[in-house]
Amino acid sequence: GSLPGRTGSASNGPDRARSDRPLSSIAPHRLRWMGLAVLGGIVAGLPATTSPAAAQTLPGIGDAKGTEINSEYLAFLRDSSREVMARWEDAWFNDRVGELTELYAHNAVLTTPDGGARRGDVRISAYLSQFLPRVGGVTTSSVILDGSGDLAFIYGRYQLEGAGGLSEGTGDQGDHLTVLFQHRRQWTIRNQAFASKAQTSEIPWAPGEVEEPLPPLDLSQFSTEAVDNVDWLTKLYPTASSLTVSFNDVWSSGNVGGLLSFSTDDLFMRTIQGEFLVGKEAVGEALRSTDAGFGNTIYLGPVDFTASTMVSILHARYYLEDRETGGALSQGTVFLLLEGSGNDLALRGMVFAPTSPGN
């Protein structure tokens, strides 16, 4: 069975659906929807509740119509993500590598807790062919489901069984970030990362091979991306890259207020220590603690980027260096989830996935 929280919900605000075209000309699933699906009831496996913001409407249309359109898109996104993840779990459980690989985009990136990153369905297939026979089934949950147009992401939990099942005590668990992209009505996994909560991962995620680091980001690699998404990539990446520089600066200088100044109110974060936080106040408090690594020098090297109308996702390698000694404090993968369009981007989420010390 799946972990608690597999079925999600979301809240919608009037600023979450924006378009220059009349609403009547846009298919419901193309409308902007941003929502937070992390309510205590969901995480605990209780029925999801709807926040007061969910009843608010899109600007310029009647209450009933606004709620209806947002609900249609929410249902579309929720159902689509459920279907993909259900097929993914089933193929994994039954060791059907070919079927599993088909769920990844041709230029997908798969990152595992050992720090290995595989780009492209061919390399992902080769990895899964070695890895799946060594483990059992996997279940995932959805804690946050967010998206825009043809791009969506799921942040949630995963639980991986060892080859002998859960009773053997050889499994692994932690958090996952799965980015979905729709092309020609087909949703595939564009980017996926696993961050183990175990201090020493009990399952060797890298079965014998040595992974070369992904090369620095080169936008030319997106020449075969879906036609209706290329413009968003080329238009938004310069702004996203600039925001990354700002992120480096405010993190390294310990400027909490500076970071929060270009963040959304519903900012969320998976810290380097694996703690999950929601809201500016909670994130700010955590960053001010001595354990977060904030105020030490951080280096980000972008390796992947994807975007849609109102959501951009920057995938980077990070290296955190002790400001006093110059020694390494942490390294691994980080995702910056951005909201907005054009030159107006804000930080929506930070997901750190440090390389597991056990690998």
Side-chain angles (χ1 to χ4, degrees), residues 216-283:
L217 180 63
D218 177 6
L219 280 183
S220 65
Q221 67 186 288
F222 298 111
S223 59
T224 56
E225 196 79 62
V227 174
D228 59 354
N229 203 40
V230 171
D231 285 345
W232 293 112
L233 291 169
T234 56
K235 288 177 181 178
L236 291 177
Y237 181 68
T239 305
S241 180
S242 177
L243 188 144
T244 303
V245 174
S246 299
F247 180 89
N248 280 357
D249 290 344
V250 297
W251 184 288
S252 299
S253 63
N255 184 357
V256 175
L259 187 146
L260 298 182
S261 70
F262 56 81
S263 302
T264 62
D265 290 337
D266 54 359
L267 175 69
F268 71 91
M269 179 182 184
R270 184 196 194 269
T271 68
I272 291 172
Q273 292 73 28
E275 185 180 6
F276 177 68
L277 305 163
V278 180
K280 275 188 174 182
E281 183 176 346
V283 171

Side-chain angles (χ1 to χ4, degrees), residues 42-65:
I42 298 176
V43 175
L46 299 176
T49 58
T50 304
S51 73
Q56 299 182 31
T57 59
L58 302 177
I61 59 178
D63 293 355
K65 185 63 174 177

Side-chain angles (χ1 to χ4, degrees), residues 311-358:
V311 172
S312 309
I313 300 174
L314 183 74
H315 170 192
R317 295 289 298 173
Y318 79 87
Y319 181 86
L320 186 63
E321 180 181 273
D322 189 292
R323 194 176 186 85
E324 301 297 329
T325 67
L329 293 176
S330 177
Q331 58 184 313
T333 298
V334 63
F335 290 85
L336 300 183
L337 299 112
L338 311 174
E339 172 185 335
S341 61
N343 295 322
D344 182 22
L345 291 182
L347 184 63
R348 169 74 169 86
M350 299 172 276
V351 177
F352 284 90
T355 300
S356 172

Side-chain angles (χ1 to χ4, degrees), residues 3 8 29 70 100 103 173 214 223 269 276 278 289 335 345 357:
L3 299 180
H29 69 275
N70 273 334
L100 188 61
L103 294 174
Q173 60 182 325
L214 291 180
S223 59
M269 179 182 184
F276 177 68
V278 180
S289 73
F335 290 85
L345 291 182

Side-chain angles (χ1 to χ4, degrees), residues 67-152:
T67 301
E68 177 186 349
I69 292 176
N70 273 334
S71 297
E72 287 181 8
Y73 182 69
L74 168 59
F76 166 77
L77 191 62
R78 185 177 58 231
D79 292 346
S80 298
S81 62
R82 282 179 183 171
E83 179 184 357
V84 171
M85 296 310 294
R87 291 171 57 197
W88 181 86
E89 291 181 11
D90 183 64
W92 182 297
F93 181 82
N94 291 288
D95 291 348
R96 295 196 294 263
V97 175
E99 186 177 321
L100 188 61
T101 304
E102 289 179 357
L103 294 174
Y104 289 89
H106 71 280
N107 57 350
V109 178
L110 173 64
T111 305
T112 48
D114 61 287
R118 298 120 188 123
R119 189 195 302 278
D121 50 5
V122 174
R123 293 196 68 194
I124 290 173
S125 178
Y127 169 75
L128 293 173
S129 295
Q130 298 181 64
F131 184 59
L132 291 191
R134 302 161 59 98
V135 298
V138 63
T139 52
T140 62
S141 69
S142 174
V143 176
I144 290 183
L145 173 63
D146 215 339
S148 170
D150 293 326
L151 183 67

